[in-house]
Amino acid sequence: MTVHLERATLTDGVRVVHTVQGDRVRAAYDPRQIEESAALAWLCIRVPGLVRNGFTVQHVAA
């Protein structure tokens, strides 16, 4: 699976948003509220296929 990850300014209290599109996860995290590593850990909990199938991260320019 591939995680397309970008930084974004999100609403306070919303640290990460994501959508699953087949074998691709598009996600944005707010670096003011959460570190990238914690955002990836959160995604692994919310999308168990990432752990089961392995994943790569592509950083997307906002």
Side-chain angles (χ1 to χ4, degrees):
M1 297 185 83
T2 302
V3 176
H4 294 264
L5 187 63
E6 68 181 271
R7 293 177 178 206
T9 301
L10 303 174
T11 303
D12 288 343
V14 178
R15 294 170 180 88
V16 180
V17 295
H18 78 288
T19 183
V20 179
Q21 301 169 340
D23 66 346
R24 181 171 68 161
V25 177
R26 293 186 53 138
Y29 72 99
D30 188 335
R32 296 174 307 132
Q33 300 184 64
I34 191 170
E35 293 182 10
E36 181 179 322
S37 57
L40 287 169
W42 183 90
L43 283 169
C44 287
I45 292 168
R46 301 293 296 175
V47 185
L50 293 175
V51 175
R52 182 175 50 248
N53 301 323
F55 66 94
T56 58
V57 176
Q58 288 187 345
H59 292 90
V60 179

